[in-house]
Amino acid sequence: MAVLPKFLIMRKHPILPLRLNNDMLCIIHRDNYIDFITPCNESGNYIMLIPYQGSYIETKPVEPIVWSNLSSIEVYALLRGGELALYELSIRDGKASYIRYRVNEEFLRGVSFHGNASNELLSVVDAILRNYIKSSFMIYTAYLRLITNGNVKFPGYREYIRGRVRIYSNDGLIIVRENSGDEARVSLVSTIEGIGNFTNVIMSLIRSSRVINETRFGRIGHSIKMLLDVFIPNNLLTAVKNGV
């Protein structure tokens, strides 16, 4: 089944050219907003994300979706201060209008690190994560489902096994990992003391992944009881040595 690509502009890749009949309209990143130029002869420089396939730096003009005499396209922009915005653009008779939304981790669903735009995607992940941390207080949680490049390990953490689930703990941070084939399901819970490790582990998981199936900040995908079992020993929880 065909999937529609996503388009992203940012400071390093600021120009998305749209082909409109015989004219060209350029969507330009202006640091904290977007601008429109028509006619436009600028070369393109933007990111195209094909869900579950790859992410690429592109230069060629984009064909918008056309309905009667109305052209439309959705464009994401990483703005100053780390805000990620979605612009739903409508173009009629060479004039553009838009509705703007603020978006967060939902942008990452289906992102693949195949292609030459991996560093740009990591900067978006970093911005989204920092925005979440600014908006939360004292307790920080995350849930990720990732197609990984190999076995996910957390050296230096105390490790426990409960069935198919591995639980890792360190000062201020608990990680729950469950694997199903190539997919890893990971929940993280951190206090403010562990926030540095929280961000480092998430960014490490993202870097080691091929595809992001799901990312949720402020949520977990495993039971609270399972997390508490790290601190409440019982005969169902077996500690193992680091590195096993």
Side-chain angles (χ1 to χ4, degrees), residues 82-244:
E83 179 186 355
L84 183 62
L86 168 62
Y87 291 85
E88 292 183 350
L89 276 74
S90 299
I91 305 105
R92 191 191 301 269
D93 300 326
K95 296 180 180 180
S97 61
Y98 62 81
I99 301 174
R100 170 175 161 168
Y101 305 92
R102 183 165 184 161
V103 295
N104 291 299
E105 65 268 22
E106 60 268 24
F107 169 81
L108 302 175
R109 188 175 296 117
V111 162
S112 169
F113 287 89
H114 291 293
N116 60 355
S118 295
N119 289 336
E120 286 73 13
L121 292 181
L122 289 172
S123 69
V124 176
V125 175
D126 181 74
I128 293 171
L129 179 55
R130 290 178 184 275
N131 287 336
Y132 165 66
I133 291 170
K134 290 177 186 176
S135 68
S136 191
F137 181 68
M138 298 300 290
I139 298 295
Y140 307 87
T141 61
Y143 174 60
L144 301 96
R145 289 196 304 116
L146 309 165
I147 304 298
T148 62
N149 288 313
N151 189 27
V152 178
K153 296 182 178 180
F154 303 99
Y157 284 70
R158 293 182 294 275
E159 183 178 5
Y160 307 85
I161 294 178
R162 182 172 181 175
R164 297 190 309 165
V165 176
R166 289 181 179 247
I167 303 173
Y168 305 83
S169 66
N170 204 339
D171 293 340
L173 178 63
I174 300 173
I175 306 166
V176 179
R177 189 201 83 200
E178 185 176 357
N179 279 47
S180 178
D182 289 337
E183 183 182 72
R185 298 171 57 231
V186 184
S187 294
L188 301 95
V189 179
S190 175
T191 64
I192 195 167
E193 289 79 10
I195 195 63
N197 288 335
F198 178 80
T199 57
N200 290 339
V201 167
I202 289 175
M203 292 304 296
S204 178
L205 286 168
I206 296 291
R207 287 190 192 96
S208 67
S209 69
R210 299 198 308 271
V211 178
I212 303 173
N213 284 335
E214 187 174 11
T215 303
R216 298 183 186 179
F217 294 129
R219 300 281 296 276
I220 58 174
H222 297 84
S223 71
I224 294 295
K225 182 181 183 302
M226 184 179 295
L227 299 175
L228 291 176
D229 280 344
V230 175
F231 304 107
I232 305 174
N234 58 60
N235 57 11
L236 297 178
L237 197 66
T238 304
V240 297
K241 295 181 180 179
N242 289 333
V244 175

Side-chain angles (χ1 to χ4, degrees), residues 9 14-20 23-30 34-44 89 96:
I9 54 176
I15 303 174
L16 176 64
L18 294 182
R19 193 183 304 280
L20 303 174
D23 292 327
M24 197 76 70
L25 180 146
C26 284
I27 304 170
I28 309 292
H29 187 281
R30 299 293 193 195
I34 65 171
D35 198 2
F36 307 96
I37 298 176
T38 183
C40 171
N41 296 315
E42 298 279 351
S43 298
L89 276 74

